[in-house]
Amino acid sequence: MVIWRERLEALRANKWFEAFVIFVIVMSALLIGARTYDETSRYEQMLRWLDHGITLFFLAEILIRMAAERRLRDFFRNGWNVFDFVIVVASLIPIDDSEMVLLARLLRVFRVLRLVSLIPELRVLMGALLKAIPRMGYVVLLMFIIFYIYGAVGSFLFHEVDAGLWGNISIAMLTLFQVATFESWATAVLYPTMEHYPWAWIYFLSFIFLNAFVFLNMMIGIVLEVMQKENAQFELETGTGEAAEMAALRREVSGLTEQLSRIEQKLDRR
């Protein structure tokens, strides 16, 4: 039993096996995309068999990873392993059932996300994104407050210019969202408003400055800070990179300090 587990563990850690799993995931994504074309309807039977084969391969791969663990519960302690397990189990829903066909196809789309769990760099990016979202929430809240204030002011001042753009505060906030995305905002929003209120450019430029420059840079700063911490943590775990070298240097300095301290104590005793 131990020999088989060691063999499965070696297979799981094999780079060629990991590369093949990634290849199958990409093929699965291409297969899902092929089903969206009407021209592939003539190959429906072949696509169905390919889908069954990919599903069975994913099932075998996840069983290999589970069997390679010393204890099964160790497998489920890793969040990415749980994610892969859920995706694979969900893929077992039969796609031929007319009542479940839509759900089965939607769940098969998420098999592409398994690339995140297999590629360490993608895991770092995803981890940084998930950790940055709570901090970004405060920036989003502040942005909503600014949108609300500018929407109310715009609705009060410009509702007579175009009720379709400034009729009420909700419509005005949607208009401001268009302005913030720079989607035809000058010709569709700015110039018609300036025909009635020549000073309106102050309103729009101040809004753009706050949202497109200040808040956007705040978002980017949060993501970069979190990504830097995640990269440092990844380097410490893998033992590579500048963070790992600095940690090793700190350990060496700490060891030398302890040795010097012991030498000083011995000298003091003499």
Side-chain angles (χ1 to χ4, degrees), residues 69-218:
E69 295 289 345
R70 297 181 182 274
R71 293 175 297 181
L72 184 59
R73 61 183 178 182
D74 292 339
F75 177 84
F76 292 100
R77 286 178 177 176
N78 188 310
W80 291 111
N81 289 340
V82 175
F83 174 80
D84 287 344
F85 180 81
V86 172
I87 293 296
V88 171
V89 172
S91 299
L92 297 178
I93 296 177
I95 203 169
D96 297 329
D97 191 345
S98 59
E99 296 181 357
M100 303 292 291
V101 62
L102 179 59
L103 177 61
R105 288 181 175 177
L106 289 175
L107 290 174
R108 278 163 170 76
V109 171
F110 289 99
R111 292 195 301 202
V112 184
L113 289 175
R114 292 200 61 205
L115 285 173
V116 178
S117 64
L118 290 175
I119 302 176
E121 289 76 10
L122 291 181
R123 291 203 301 267
V124 172
L125 292 176
M126 182 62 71
L129 176 61
L130 294 176
K131 290 183 179 180
I133 288 177
R135 297 177 60 183
M136 293 169 62
Y138 295 104
V139 180
V140 172
L141 178 60
L142 183 58
M143 287 179 63
F144 175 79
I145 294 173
I146 298 300
F147 265 79
Y148 191 87
I149 293 174
Y150 271 81
V153 173
S155 180
F156 293 151
L157 296 178
F158 309 135
H159 67 278
E160 296 181 356
V161 176
D162 190 341
L165 297 176
W166 308 101
N168 54 56
I169 190 169
S170 59
I171 296 176
M173 291 176 69
L174 288 175
T175 302
L176 290 173
F177 183 79
Q178 177 184 351
V179 174
T181 58
F182 300 106
E183 180 63 30
S184 303
W185 74 278
T187 56
V189 182
L190 176 63
Y191 295 148
T193 306
M194 287 185 63
E195 291 179 359
H196 297 80
Y197 302 96
W199 49 266
W201 63 270
I202 301 175
Y203 170 87
F204 289 104
L205 292 185
S206 61
F207 174 78
I208 289 174
F209 176 79
L210 285 174
N211 286 276
F213 298 105
V214 176
F215 292 136
L216 180 60
N217 287 328
M218 290 173 66

Side-chain angles (χ1 to χ4, degrees), residues 9-82:
E9 188 175 359
L11 177 61
R12 181 187 61 178
N14 188 280
K15 296 297 181 182
W16 289 103
F17 180 72
E18 291 181 357
F20 185 73
V21 174
I22 293 174
F23 171 76
V24 175
I25 294 174
V26 173
M27 289 297 298
S28 173
L30 296 177
L31 181 63
I32 294 171
R35 287 180 175 273
T36 63
Y37 292 91
D38 296 332
E39 292 81 359
T40 59
S41 58
R42 70 181 97 174
Y43 306 110
E44 184 64 28
Q45 186 66 26
M46 183 182 69
L47 294 177
R48 185 178 293 110
W49 281 108
L50 283 174
D51 180 77
H52 291 335
I54 291 173
T55 301
L56 291 176
F57 174 80
F58 283 152
L59 179 61
E61 184 261 342
I62 202 72
L63 290 176
I64 289 173
R65 290 168 55 187
M66 294 171 66
E69 295 289 345
R70 297 181 182 274
R71 293 175 297 181
L72 184 59
R73 61 183 178 182
D74 292 339
F75 177 84
F76 292 100
R77 286 178 177 176
N78 188 310
W80 291 111
N81 289 340
V82 175

Side-chain angles (χ1 to χ4, degrees), residues 196-264:
H196 297 80
Y197 302 96
W199 49 266
W201 63 270
I202 301 175
Y203 170 87
F204 289 104
L205 292 185
S206 61
F207 174 78
I208 289 174
F209 176 79
L210 285 174
N211 286 276
F213 298 105
V214 176
F215 292 136
L216 180 60
N217 287 328
M218 290 173 66
M219 291 280 195
I220 294 174
I222 291 173
V223 173
L224 290 177
E225 181 183 354
V226 175
M227 283 188 62
Q228 185 177 7
K229 293 180 179 179
E230 286 295 302
N231 282 325
Q233 182 64 31
F234 177 73
E235 290 175 353
L236 289 174
E237 292 175 355
T238 57
T240 60
E242 184 179 353
E245 293 177 357
M246 292 297 296
L249 183 60
R250 291 192 188 97
R251 288 194 296 269
E252 291 179 2
V253 172
S254 178
L256 291 174
T257 303
E258 291 178 358
Q259 291 179 3
L260 290 174
S261 178
R262 288 196 295 267
I263 292 173
E264 289 177 355

